[in-house]
Amino acid sequence: MKRIGFVESNRAGSGFDALRAARALGLHVTFFSSGLERYHATPGGTEVLDGCVDEFVSCPTHELEPLLAAVKAADARQPLDALLSVAEYEVVQTAEAARQLGLPGPDPAAVRIARNKAAQRRRWAERGVPVPEFRVVTSVADAVRAAPEVGWPCVVKAVDETSGTHVVRCSTPEEVVAAFEAIRAEPVNRRGQARAAEVLVEECLVGFEVSVEVLAGAGRVRVLGVTDKIVGGHDRFVELGHSFPTALPDDVRRELEAAAVAATTAVGFDLGLAHVEVKYTAAGPKLVELNPRPGGARITELMDRSFGRSTMELLIRQYLGEPVPDLPTPLGGAAIRYLTAAPGVVTSVRGLEIAAAVPGVCEAVVSVEPGGRVEPLRVNEDRFGHVLATAAGPYLAGRIAEAAAQQIVVTTRRD
């Protein structure tokens, strides 16, 4: 039996999917984690951990040295055949640990660049990959000076977060100051790692957004598909829906794919799945960011339902050193639409059964109930449910998901 180690897990799709795929392949799974509480608090998390993990190793996964010591100790007991992470905050130290153990994995230097949004942009600008106008600043005075240089409105962004955390569109110097100081007020990121000293101030791109899901390996970068995205949240950037594969015209799709491949190649990411976010503007594609791990927000599940096979299985086989087969082609479309409501205390939840009964709907889920809270829409985690649907094509799947989501009404009252 081959043995695979996972360092933490994405809780919104690809992470749990990867654990299930490892179990389906008959692998012995070791799970390295700094704490299991957040997984048990996630719907379905306890079931996944109990059913898919053979061995738990507790260690500080957010730092390289303690993680490396724990991985080496586990490997000494029974050698690991693969070590990976599909969790954003742990990819750098996992890549380094795999390299030190001689296991397959992406170049740690490339992953380090990809995990820092300022480093990404510097590399892309050097290599001629299209990016928004940007400045990297370390003081509030520099941030205020940078804003008119990149143009109003601008975006102030933490370089080391994910899920839309500390990404704010600003229209005045006062808003720039507030966004910068909010980042500086937190000395660590969401996983307890020391906050990077730099902050991005960049052009606010006008255009529609997609993500390009790519697979790197064997000296090349291949496109698995393009995901259409709906982004909202006023001056925040919260993902409210996805459809796979894209319904865009082929010529536009090819432009977006080419930009994503160029971005991935420039960074040097050379093994595994990457999630590349791109906006299509009046000047053509411009890069938003590259995530050196599979897409979250259930994107990998949409891909699986479209392809009729597990993309996480494809990734795991690649990490086990197996040759990558021909990439799958879509057999249908899949879409997800997320649920939001006015912030406040929940007074009622209606229509869930109606939504679930709509033909084509695979899931209709609400995670709040009367007495609970709906938070202001600032980050992806502030969504409180979703509808997922499949159909013969992505446009139809999206319309079905939207129609079903409209049946779910969550009412709130302000405190």
Side-chain angles (χ1 to χ4, degrees):
M1 177 185 292
K2 290 189 175 181
R3 307 174 72 88
I4 187 169
F6 286 93
V7 180
E8 301 293 2
S9 172
N10 179 330
R11 295 180 294 142
S14 58
F16 287 174
D17 288 347
L19 292 171
R20 293 188 188 101
R23 173 58 72 223
L25 289 169
L27 304 177
H28 180 282
V29 175
T30 300
F31 192 74
F32 298 89
S33 178
S34 60
L36 302 179
E37 295 81 6
R38 65 181 185 272
Y39 302 109
H40 289 301
T42 302
T46 299
E47 178 185 357
V48 171
L49 293 181
D50 289 348
C52 300
V53 176
D54 299 287
E55 176 187 18
F56 293 95
V57 175
S58 178
C59 66
T61 54
H62 63 294
E63 298 175 4
L64 174 59
E65 292 307 319
L67 172 64
L68 183 60
V71 170
K72 286 183 174 179
D75 183 68
R77 292 192 299 271
Q78 289 286 342
L80 293 168
D81 296 287
L83 179 73
L84 70 154
S85 179
V86 294
E88 178 79 18
Y89 296 93
E90 286 76 29
V91 289
V92 173
Q93 53 270 40
T94 303
E96 183 61 48
R99 180 61 54 93
Q100 293 200 31
L101 265 68
L103 297 172
D107 181 357
V111 178
R112 194 169 290 108
I113 293 172
R115 261 295 294 144
N116 183 295
K117 295 174 177 60
Q120 288 181 5
R121 279 154 180 70
R122 291 189 181 107
R123 175 62 62 87
W124 290 335
E126 291 170 359
R127 303 291 173 87
V129 178
V131 293
E133 187 73 17
F134 71 95
R135 301 289 186 274
V136 180
V137 301
T138 56
S139 72
V140 68
D142 288 342
V144 171
R145 280 192 292 269
E149 294 176 2
V150 302
W152 296 104
C154 67
V155 175
V156 177
K157 181 182 296 187
V159 303
D160 54 356
E161 291 286 12
T162 187
S163 297
T165 304
H166 289 308
V167 182
V168 184
R169 179 170 56 194
C170 301
S171 299
T172 67
E174 292 76 16
E175 291 176 352
V176 170
V177 170
F180 183 94
E181 290 183 343
I183 296 171
R184 277 287 176 267
E186 298 176 1
V188 296
N189 65 23
R190 297 172 75 194
R191 197 66 85 239
Q193 297 161 328
R195 171 77 69 200
E198 298 175 324
V199 173
L200 270 175
V201 179
E202 64 183 20
E203 172 190 6
C204 183
L205 298 174
V206 177
F208 60 83
E209 186 171 331
V210 304
S211 62
V212 184
E213 323 308 332
V214 303
L215 183 71
R220 57 178 173 158
V221 177
R222 292 187 283 176
V223 175
L224 279 168
V226 176
T227 306
D228 287 330
K229 300 174 67 174
I230 301 171
V231 180
H234 304 291
D235 286 332
R236 302 286 180 147
F237 300 85
V238 179
E239 297 180 1
L240 300 179
H242 302 102
S243 300
F244 187 90
T246 181
L248 289 169
D250 287 345
D251 58 337
V252 175
R253 174 184 54 78
R254 285 191 290 266
E255 286 186 74
L256 293 162
E257 290 177 349
V261 169
T264 308
T265 303
V267 165
F269 185 76
D270 56 358
L271 185 76
L273 284 166
H275 172 71
V276 189
E277 297 176 348
V278 190
K279 276 196 173 180
Y280 195 84
T281 72
K286 289 194 177 183
L287 271 295
V288 175
E289 63 184 50
L290 184 153
N291 303 113
R293 42 81 180 165
R298 309 294 287 274
I299 287 175
T300 54
E301 182 174 347
L302 300 184
M303 296 167 68
D304 292 353
R305 291 180 181 274
S306 175
F307 291 142
R309 63 173 297 182
S310 168
T311 51
M312 291 299 97
E313 178 185 330
L314 184 70
L315 175 68
I316 290 169
R317 289 187 182 278
Q318 186 186 33
Y319 267 76
L320 290 171
E322 299 181 15
V324 177
D326 292 338
L327 298 185
T329 56
L331 304 175
I336 192 168
R337 297 294 183 263
Y338 287 96
L339 305 177
T340 63
V345 178
V346 177
T347 57
S348 67
V349 178
R350 306 191 309 274
L352 186 60
E353 298 82 1
I354 299 172
V358 173
V361 169
C362 306
E363 290 182 6
V365 175
V366 175
S367 60
V368 294
E369 56 187 18
R373 290 194 59 82
V374 171
E375 299 297 335
L377 195 61
R378 296 190 179 99
V379 296
N380 288 346
E381 284 79 0
D382 293 325
R383 307 168 307 202
F384 58 77
H386 67 267
V387 173
L388 191 153
T390 58
Y395 178 76
L396 180 57
R399 297 311 301 267
I400 292 171
E402 289 159 10
Q406 289 170 1
Q407 310 310 309
I408 302 173
V409 179
V410 174
T411 56
T412 61
R413 60 171 172 80
R414 293 189 177 275
D415 294 331

